[in-house]
Amino acid sequence: MSGVHFTQEDRVAELRLDNPAKMNALTVEMLDQLAAHLDRIERDRGIAAVMLTAEGERAFCTGADINGWGDLSPAEFSRHWVRDGHRIFDRLARLSQPTIAVLSGHAFGGGLELAAACDLRVMAPTAALALPEAGVGIVPGWSGTQRLLRLMPEPMVKEMALFGHRIKSDRALACGFVAAVDDDPRAAALRLLERAVTLSPRAVEIAKTMIHAAQGEDRAAMVEALGSAAIAASDDRAEGVAAFRDKRTADFPGT
Protein backbone atom coordinates (compact mmCIF):
# COMPACT_ATOMS: atom_id res chain seq x y z
CA MET A 1 0.00 0.00 0.00
CA SER A 2 1.30 3.47 -0.89
CA GLY A 3 2.26 5.82 1.90
CA VAL A 4 4.80 8.14 3.48
CA HIS A 5 6.81 6.30 6.13
CA PHE A 6 8.56 7.84 9.13
CA THR A 7 11.74 6.44 10.67
CA GLN A 8 14.35 7.97 12.95
CA GLU A 9 17.99 7.14 13.56
CA ASP A 10 19.75 9.13 16.25
CA ARG A 11 18.65 12.73 15.60
CA VAL A 12 17.81 12.38 11.91
CA ALA A 13 14.24 11.72 10.79
CA GLU A 14 13.62 10.10 7.41
CA LEU A 15 10.39 10.49 5.47
CA ARG A 16 10.15 7.95 2.65
CA LEU A 17 7.68 8.19 -0.23
CA ASP A 18 6.43 4.69 -1.01
CA ASN A 19 4.37 4.30 -4.17
CA PRO A 20 6.88 2.73 -6.57
CA ALA A 21 4.24 1.17 -8.84
CA LYS A 22 3.30 4.72 -9.84
CA MET A 23 6.82 6.17 -9.63
CA ASN A 24 6.03 7.50 -6.13
CA ALA A 25 3.23 9.74 -7.38
CA LEU A 26 1.48 11.51 -4.51
CA THR A 27 -2.02 10.48 -3.49
CA VAL A 28 -4.40 12.31 -1.16
CA GLU A 29 -3.56 9.80 1.56
CA MET A 30 0.18 10.35 1.09
CA LEU A 31 -0.25 14.12 1.37
CA ASP A 32 -2.24 13.68 4.59
CA GLN A 33 0.44 11.37 6.01
CA LEU A 34 3.19 13.81 5.07
CA ALA A 35 1.35 16.63 6.85
CA ALA A 36 0.94 14.52 10.00
CA HIS A 37 4.62 13.53 10.01
CA LEU A 38 5.71 17.15 9.62
CA ASP A 39 3.59 18.20 12.60
CA ARG A 40 5.17 15.41 14.65
CA ILE A 41 8.70 16.39 13.61
CA GLU A 42 8.15 20.07 14.37
CA ARG A 43 7.22 19.26 17.96
CA ASP A 44 10.05 16.78 18.57
CA ARG A 45 13.16 18.59 19.82
CA GLY A 46 15.03 15.33 19.61
CA ILE A 47 15.01 15.59 15.81
CA ALA A 48 17.79 17.82 14.49
CA ALA A 49 17.41 17.25 10.74
CA VAL A 50 15.11 15.65 8.19
CA MET A 51 15.85 13.60 5.09
CA LEU A 52 13.16 13.11 2.43
CA THR A 53 13.69 9.96 0.36
CA ALA A 54 11.69 7.67 -1.91
CA GLU A 55 11.32 3.97 -2.57
CA GLY A 56 13.30 2.68 -5.53
CA GLU A 57 15.75 4.35 -7.88
CA ARG A 58 13.56 4.99 -10.91
CA ALA A 59 11.81 8.06 -9.51
CA PHE A 60 11.91 10.26 -6.44
CA CYS A 61 8.40 11.44 -7.25
CA THR A 62 6.61 12.08 -10.54
CA GLY A 63 4.08 14.47 -9.05
CA ALA A 64 0.45 14.00 -8.20
CA ASP A 65 -1.40 10.78 -9.01
CA ILE A 66 -3.74 11.75 -11.85
CA ASN A 67 -6.40 9.49 -10.34
CA GLY A 68 -6.45 11.83 -7.37
CA TRP A 69 -7.35 14.94 -9.32
CA GLY A 70 -8.41 13.91 -12.83
CA ASP A 71 -12.15 13.82 -12.08
CA LEU A 72 -12.33 16.82 -9.75
CA SER A 73 -14.49 19.79 -10.69
CA PRO A 74 -12.66 23.06 -11.42
CA ALA A 75 -13.70 24.43 -8.02
CA GLU A 76 -12.60 21.29 -6.17
CA PHE A 77 -9.33 21.17 -8.10
CA SER A 78 -8.34 24.73 -7.22
CA ARG A 79 -9.91 24.99 -3.79
CA HIS A 80 -8.81 21.67 -2.34
CA TRP A 81 -6.24 19.78 -4.39
CA VAL A 82 -4.03 22.76 -5.23
CA ARG A 83 -4.47 24.59 -1.92
CA ASP A 84 -3.99 21.48 0.20
CA GLY A 85 -0.79 20.66 -1.65
CA HIS A 86 0.46 24.21 -1.21
CA ARG A 87 -0.35 24.15 2.50
CA ILE A 88 1.56 20.91 3.06
CA PHE A 89 4.56 21.89 0.92
CA ASP A 90 4.72 25.24 2.72
CA ARG A 91 4.68 23.31 5.98
CA LEU A 92 7.74 21.39 4.82
CA ALA A 93 9.52 24.55 3.67
CA ARG A 94 8.96 26.22 7.05
CA LEU A 95 9.97 23.28 9.19
CA SER A 96 12.31 24.41 11.97
CA GLN A 97 14.84 21.67 11.27
CA PRO A 98 17.07 21.64 8.16
CA THR A 99 15.84 19.34 5.41
CA ILE A 100 17.45 17.47 2.50
CA ALA A 101 15.64 15.83 -0.43
CA VAL A 102 17.38 12.73 -1.81
CA LEU A 103 16.66 12.48 -5.54
CA SER A 104 17.67 8.91 -6.35
CA GLY A 105 15.43 9.11 -9.41
CA HIS A 106 13.43 11.58 -11.48
CA ALA A 107 11.63 14.51 -9.82
CA PHE A 108 8.79 15.65 -12.07
CA GLY A 109 5.95 18.10 -11.50
CA GLY A 110 4.81 17.96 -7.90
CA GLY A 111 7.86 15.84 -7.10
CA LEU A 112 10.13 18.65 -8.20
CA GLU A 113 8.03 21.12 -6.25
CA LEU A 114 8.29 18.86 -3.18
CA ALA A 115 12.08 18.74 -3.51
CA ALA A 116 12.17 22.52 -3.90
CA ALA A 117 10.46 22.87 -0.51
CA CYS A 118 13.51 21.28 1.17
CA ASP A 119 16.58 23.29 2.19
CA LEU A 120 19.03 21.21 0.15
CA ARG A 121 18.86 18.55 -2.52
CA VAL A 122 21.26 15.78 -3.60
CA MET A 123 20.76 13.98 -6.88
CA ALA A 124 21.75 10.80 -8.68
CA PRO A 125 23.64 11.32 -11.96
CA THR A 126 20.89 9.57 -13.95
CA ALA A 127 18.00 11.52 -12.40
CA ALA A 128 16.27 14.38 -14.19
CA LEU A 129 13.99 17.28 -13.32
CA ALA A 130 10.86 18.31 -15.23
CA LEU A 131 7.62 20.28 -15.12
CA PRO A 132 5.47 18.20 -17.50
CA GLU A 133 2.07 19.61 -16.48
CA ALA A 134 1.32 21.25 -19.84
CA GLY A 135 1.43 17.81 -21.43
CA VAL A 136 -1.78 16.87 -19.58
CA GLY A 137 -3.41 20.28 -19.90
CA ILE A 138 -2.63 21.80 -16.52
CA VAL A 139 -0.01 24.11 -15.01
CA PRO A 140 2.38 23.72 -12.05
CA GLY A 141 0.21 24.16 -8.98
CA TRP A 142 2.36 23.48 -5.94
CA SER A 143 4.86 26.37 -6.25
CA GLY A 144 6.57 25.39 -9.50
CA THR A 145 6.14 28.90 -10.86
CA GLN A 146 6.81 30.59 -7.52
CA ARG A 147 9.25 29.00 -5.04
CA LEU A 148 11.13 27.23 -7.82
CA LEU A 149 12.01 30.59 -9.38
CA ARG A 150 13.91 31.53 -6.22
CA LEU A 151 16.08 28.44 -6.63
CA MET A 152 16.64 28.13 -10.37
CA PRO A 153 17.22 30.58 -13.25
CA GLU A 154 14.01 31.77 -14.89
CA PRO A 155 15.01 30.45 -18.35
CA MET A 156 15.54 26.99 -16.89
CA VAL A 157 12.09 26.96 -15.28
CA LYS A 158 10.59 28.14 -18.58
CA GLU A 159 12.50 25.45 -20.43
CA MET A 160 10.73 22.85 -18.33
CA ALA A 161 7.28 24.44 -18.02
CA LEU A 162 6.92 25.98 -21.49
CA PHE A 163 9.02 23.68 -23.68
CA GLY A 164 8.68 20.37 -21.88
CA HIS A 165 12.42 19.80 -21.55
CA ARG A 166 14.07 17.78 -18.81
CA ILE A 167 16.99 19.15 -16.83
CA LYS A 168 19.81 16.70 -16.21
CA SER A 169 21.81 16.44 -13.01
CA ASP A 170 24.88 18.27 -14.31
CA ARG A 171 22.86 21.38 -15.11
CA ALA A 172 20.98 21.18 -11.80
CA LEU A 173 24.33 21.14 -10.00
CA ALA A 174 25.79 23.95 -12.10
CA CYS A 175 22.91 26.30 -11.27
CA GLY A 176 23.04 25.43 -7.56
CA PHE A 177 19.65 23.75 -7.33
CA VAL A 178 21.31 20.60 -5.99
CA ALA A 179 24.14 20.57 -3.47
CA ALA A 180 25.71 17.40 -4.82
CA VAL A 181 25.44 14.78 -7.53
CA ASP A 182 26.43 11.33 -6.30
CA ASP A 183 26.02 7.71 -7.31
CA ASP A 184 24.68 7.15 -3.78
CA PRO A 185 22.67 10.32 -3.05
CA ARG A 186 21.37 9.00 0.26
CA ALA A 187 24.91 8.51 1.54
CA ALA A 188 25.81 11.99 0.27
CA ALA A 189 22.85 13.44 2.15
CA LEU A 190 23.91 11.69 5.35
CA ARG A 191 27.40 13.13 5.00
CA LEU A 192 25.90 16.62 4.78
CA LEU A 193 23.81 15.91 7.86
CA GLU A 194 26.72 14.67 9.96
CA ARG A 195 27.81 18.23 10.68
CA ALA A 196 24.31 19.70 10.76
CA VAL A 197 23.21 17.59 13.74
CA THR A 198 26.15 18.86 15.83
CA LEU A 199 25.13 22.52 15.49
CA SER A 200 22.96 24.53 17.85
CA PRO A 201 19.35 23.64 16.96
CA ARG A 202 18.08 27.04 18.03
CA ALA A 203 20.76 28.90 16.07
CA VAL A 204 20.01 26.82 12.98
CA GLU A 205 16.29 27.46 13.35
CA ILE A 206 16.75 31.23 13.67
CA ALA A 207 19.24 31.33 10.78
CA LYS A 208 16.79 29.43 8.59
CA THR A 209 14.00 31.84 9.55
CA MET A 210 16.15 34.86 8.71
CA ILE A 211 17.21 33.44 5.35
CA HIS A 212 13.64 32.60 4.43
CA ALA A 213 12.45 36.07 5.44
CA ALA A 214 15.09 37.64 3.20
CA GLN A 215 13.92 35.44 0.30
CA GLY A 216 10.25 36.24 0.83
CA GLU A 217 9.25 32.80 2.16
CA ASP A 218 6.16 33.85 4.17
CA ARG A 219 8.01 36.99 5.21
CA ALA A 220 5.26 38.42 7.43
CA ALA A 221 5.06 35.27 9.57
CA MET A 222 8.84 35.01 9.74
CA VAL A 223 9.24 38.60 10.96
CA GLU A 224 6.62 38.07 13.65
CA ALA A 225 8.22 34.77 14.69
CA LEU A 226 11.59 36.45 15.12
CA GLY A 227 10.07 39.33 17.06
CA SER A 228 8.10 36.98 19.27
CA ALA A 229 11.21 34.92 20.00
CA ALA A 230 13.05 38.06 21.09
CA ILE A 231 10.27 39.34 23.34
CA ALA A 232 9.70 35.87 24.85
CA ALA A 233 13.18 36.03 26.38
CA SER A 234 12.66 39.51 27.88
CA ASP A 235 12.14 40.52 31.51
CA ASP A 236 9.15 42.55 30.34
CA ARG A 237 7.37 39.39 29.21
CA ALA A 238 8.10 37.67 32.52
CA GLU A 239 6.79 40.69 34.44
CA GLY A 240 3.70 40.99 32.25
CA VAL A 241 2.76 37.34 32.73
CA ALA A 242 3.43 37.51 36.49
CA ALA A 243 1.36 40.69 36.87
CA PHE A 244 -1.55 39.17 34.94
CA ARG A 245 -1.53 36.09 37.15
CA ASP A 246 -1.23 38.19 40.34
CA LYS A 247 -4.00 40.53 39.15
CA ARG A 248 -1.82 43.61 39.61
CA THR A 249 -0.47 46.43 37.48
CA ALA A 250 2.73 45.43 35.70
CA ASP A 251 5.96 47.26 36.49
CA PHE A 252 7.93 46.70 33.29
CA PRO A 253 11.73 46.96 33.69
CA GLY A 254 12.25 47.59 29.96
CA THR A 255 14.72 44.74 29.56
Side-chain angles (χ1 to χ4, degrees), residues 5-137:
H5 307 301
F6 171 93
T7 57
Q8 183 177 346
E9 185 173 348
D10 297 326
R11 302 183 66 203
V12 177
E14 180 173 348
L15 297 176
R16 179 169 54 87
L17 308 180
D18 186 5
N19 190 12
K22 294 189 175 182
M23 297 181 72
N24 295 314
L26 295 166
T27 64
V28 172
E29 292 76 19
M30 290 173 71
L31 289 172
D32 289 342
Q33 290 170 13
L34 177 59
H37 291 320
L38 293 174
D39 284 344
R40 170 184 177 179
I41 290 168
E42 184 69 71
R43 290 174 171 82
D44 190 341
R45 294 296 89 195
I47 296 175
V50 179
M51 186 167 59
L52 183 61
T53 66
E55 186 68 25
E57 297 182 353
R58 187 182 178 194
F60 166 72
C61 176
T62 55
D65 186 349
I66 196 168
N67 293 320
W69 58 265
D71 295 328
L72 295 177
S73 70
E76 290 174 323
F77 183 72
S78 63
R79 184 178 302 126
H80 300 299
W81 183 256
V82 174
R83 289 185 182 178
D84 285 351
H86 251 286
R87 172 179 55 80
I88 296 165
F89 284 23
D90 288 349
R91 185 74 181 84
L92 172 60
R94 295 161 193 165
L95 204 63
S96 298
Q97 297 92 333
T99 57
I100 297 182
V102 178
L103 310 184
S104 296
H106 301 322
F108 294 166
L112 175 54
E113 293 165 318
L114 180 63
C118 291
D119 296 314
L120 292 181
R121 290 147 292 278
V122 293
M123 190 173 181
T126 55
L129 312 175
L131 292 173
E133 286 86 351
V136 290

Side-chain angles (χ1 to χ4, degrees), residues 90 93-94 147 150 211-220 222:
D90 288 349
R94 295 161 193 165
R147 179 179 292 117
R150 297 197 291 269
I211 293 167
H212 280 191
Q215 292 296 317
E217 181 72 59
D218 197 22
R219 181 173 294 159
M222 295 297 180

Side-chain angles (χ1 to χ4, degrees), residues 186-242:
R186 188 178 185 276
L190 287 172
R191 287 194 296 270
L192 287 168
L193 291 174
E194 284 177 0
R195 175 62 175 157
V197 298
T198 68
L199 304 176
S200 159
R202 188 59 173 156
V204 168
E205 178 183 357
I206 295 298
K208 180 173 177 175
T209 300
M210 294 167 67
I211 293 167
H212 280 191
Q215 292 296 317
E217 181 72 59
D218 197 22
R219 181 173 294 159
M222 295 297 180
V223 169
E224 290 191 349
L226 288 171
S228 296
I231 200 66
S234 70
D235 293 330
D236 276 5
R237 172 185 178 273
E239 168 60 13
V241 170

